[in-house]
Structure formats: C-alpha cells, structure tokens
Amino acid sequence: MTMTLDQAQALDAADPLAFARARFRLPDGVIYLDGNSLGALPAATPGALAEVAERQWGDDLITSWNRHGWIDAPGRVAALLAPIVGAAPDELLFADSTSVTLFKLLAAAVQARPGRSVILSEDGNFPTDLHVAQGLARLVPSLTLKTVPAGNVASAIDGDTAVVMLTHVDYRGGAVHDMASVNSAAHAAGALTLWDLSHSAGALALDLAGSGCDLAVGCGYKYLNGGPGAPAFLFVAKPLQEQLHSPLSGWMGHAEPFAFEPAHRPAAGIARFLTGTPPILALAALEAGLATFDGIAMADLEAKSRALSQVFISEVEARCGGEVRLASPAARGSHVAFAHPHAYAVMQALIARGVIGDVRAPDLLRFGFAPLYNRFAEIWRAAEILGDILATREWDQPRFHQRAKVT
Ligand SMILES: Cc1ncc(COP(=O)(O)O)c(C=O)c1O
C-alpha cells in the first residue's frame, strides 16, 4: 500500500477543482470511473432539457427556431468548446455522430489532395474510424486505407499520403500520439491530418491551433458530459475551410438555407460542414454539459487527471500486482487499463460493489478518470475493492460471467 485513506482525502482537500463535483448529480454509493465512455449527468441538464421541451417547444413551437436561437445552436454550443480544445469558436461545430463527422472530414480531406491515394492510419485505431475509412475507400476506387503499427505512422507518411487519420488517445490503454510531431511530418509531405479526439477533449489540455491540426472530430458524450448519443464536434482549421467541401452537402450547410435553391452553394466558413436540421434537445443537454467546464483551467484539469491515474495505478499495483498487468504506458490520456484473463467477470463484480468501469476485448479492465468530478478518496477505495474482489475470487460466480450486449 502506498497511501492511506487520510492521505487521499488530504489530496481532495487540496484539490483546486474540488468545487466542480457539485456540478454533477452522482448517485450515492457509486464510484463512477467510466466518464471516458459516458460522462456523468450534470446537475443543470434535466432543467435545461425541461426548459427547451416544455417552454420553448411546448409554448413557442416552431417560432423557437428564431425566438430561442435554435437555428444557431450548432455554432453557439461549439463556441463553449473552443477554450476546452484550444481552437477558435469559428473553427468548431457540433453535428451528427463522431462516425458521420469523421466520414465528412475524411472525404473532404481526400478530395482536397487530388492525385494522392492513401489514407494512413494505425492498425489499432478505434474500429469505427477504420470502418469509415474502409467505406470511403469502397466508394473511391483509387483510394486505399493503409494501416501501420502506432509507432511507425510518422515514418510511413509519403508523397502518396492524402491524409493521416489517427485517434489521439488510444481507447484501450490510453497511449497518446504526439500530435504536433505527426502534424509537422504530414505537412512536410503535403498531407493533411485528421484527429479523433474522443478520449482527449475535456480531459487533456489541447491546443489544436498551436499544434498545427488541420481537422478533428470527437464525441460529445464522454468527457464533455453531453449525454448518451450527444452530437459530435468537428474542427476545421480556418485556412482550410474554404478549400474543403463536405460530401454530405445538405441544406443546413448552404449559404442561404431558406432561399431554397436547388443547387448547393456552400456557406462561408465552418457552417458549410452542417448537413441537416440540428438536434435541439441533444444540443441543449450538450450545452449544459459544456457549462461544467466554466472557469476551469485545462492545465489544472490535465494535472488532476494525471494525479488521479497515478494514485490508482500505485494502489492497484500494490494491492493486486500479481493478478493484473498494467496495460497503459506512461504517456497516456485520462484512462488506465489493466489486463486480467477474466476481465469481464471482474468488472461485473466491481459494478456489483458500486465501482463502475468497463471492459475492452479481449482482457482489459478500463477505468476512466474525469477530473471534474472524480475524487482521490474514491479512486483509493476503488483500488481497495478491486484488491478484495481479486483476493477472494468474488468475480468467479456464474452471474458475473453472463455477457451483456454492451461491455
Ligand atoms: C475513439 C472513438 N471514436 C469514435 C467513437 C464512437 O463514435 P460514434 O459516436 O459515432 O459512435 C468512440 C466510442 O467510444 C471512440 O472511442
């Protein structure tokens, strides 16, 4: 054991972000370590949803598009994201799902690099990213998806690379790509970069502008606390916006949607990447989710993420070192994975004891640390409970081996 509960509580008492926990509604008796998959419910969200549903939709009906600014919601909500990811407000939008926004930006990037035939990615990228690229390659016969091991990406970029598509923080062990160096290697070869920031935005201090990113997407429902199925964000660096064309050109990305012109004329700037009618209820929840970052310095957030995961790793290794193997590198995002041959059953036993994480095939126990609401004392306690479950083999009961659809 490397720390006492008193010491963990002292870290909470000294935590400059401790006040943010009150911005969330977390059930008593639960230690929630899955904010990297679905952010916790912000305390303000139910009220925000009720306001939009009952007063705006209910009372003001369709006039709300103008009266309550529904029509501007994708950009207005995205402006709240700007300081969180280090971009300008007019470089961001919320629209569609992560997979769909990825398709849009990937196709736009490929089209902007005619004569180049390769989308370059890594073997272990998140499956939907690879699936989207495979789908695009089927549509465009001259295009291929080339994947290489994570460490070989920079050296695989060449004059045939149209776009380098990577997930910044790996969804399994949390390994982080060096964004700035991949961007500069890609630019030196004339290629574009497209980052999936699903496991980074809202957990790490990002500087999309300063690190030379061209394009990015990411989930709204993880660390951004937008709620299940929240719209995704997309980022297009300012100088590229007029050069790129969305393949899903729709009326909301038209220069004048209500001119009802038959021919598509893209809007100026980032708005051209919209396709259809924005999901107003989902955007209301997302707006409340992003408000949980008000007044938060991202450097403090990243420092706390680091400290939480370090405490967890030390405690788990001290208590269960022989039973689990750390599967996360030192350069990692805000989640940590430990391998165990019966990871699924172990996680079900943890959940039954009120510690919620998740599992990634084949054998990873995954624990996410959301610095806005996780506390050092609960991290400490989670490690203690894991140690107990492993020592007693509490996980080895038939009920914990029954697999559900979502892991
Ligand atoms: C890296 C990454 N990209 C994309 C997704 C999901 O995309 P979508 O929101 O389209 O389901 C996830 C989901 O966990 C993810 O981890």
Side-chain angles (χ1 to χ4, degrees), residues 97-100 126 128-129 167 169 171 196 198-199 219 221-222:
S97 64
T98 313
S99 307
V100 173
F126 188 76
T128 205
D129 300 53
T167 295
V169 173
Y171 72 102
D196 183 336
S198 292
H199 290 279
C219 294
Y221 48 78
K222 297 182 188 290

Side-chain angles (χ1 to χ4, degrees), residues 42-81:
T45 300
L49 283 169
E51 158 72 18
V52 176
E54 288 173 13
R55 204 171 72 71
Q56 299 185 4
W57 180 16
D59 294 344
D60 296 333
L61 294 158
I62 200 167
T63 66
S64 294
W65 284 105
N66 292 315
R67 192 177 299 187
H68 298 294
W70 286 1
I71 196 66
D72 298 320
R76 185 181 69 244
V77 180
L80 300 175
L81 181 65

Side-chain angles (χ1 to χ4, degrees), residues 1-5 8 31-33 308-321 323-324 336 338 346-347 350 353-356 365 367 369 375-391:
M1 211 177 315
T2 57
M3 190 183 276
T4 62
L5 180 56
I31 299 176
Y32 191 59
L33 303 181
L308 286 166
S309 67
Q310 200 50 59
V311 167
F312 189 69
I313 290 172
S314 309
E315 292 299 317
V316 169
E317 289 195 323
R319 291 162 193 274
C320 357
E323 297 241 22
V324 293
V336 159
F338 285 94
V346 172
M347 184 53 71
L350 273 170
R353 295 272 296 265
V355 179
I356 303 180
L365 295 158
F367 302 92
F369 308 102
R375 292 177 174 147
F376 289 93
E378 63 186 3
I379 300 301
W380 184 94
R381 177 75 183 129
E384 185 181 57
I385 294 173
L386 177 59
D388 198 38
I389 284 171
L390 292 173

Side-chain angles (χ1 to χ4, degrees), residues 56 120 236 289 292 321 341 353:
Q56 299 185 4
L120 179 65
V236 180
T292 61
R353 295 272 296 265

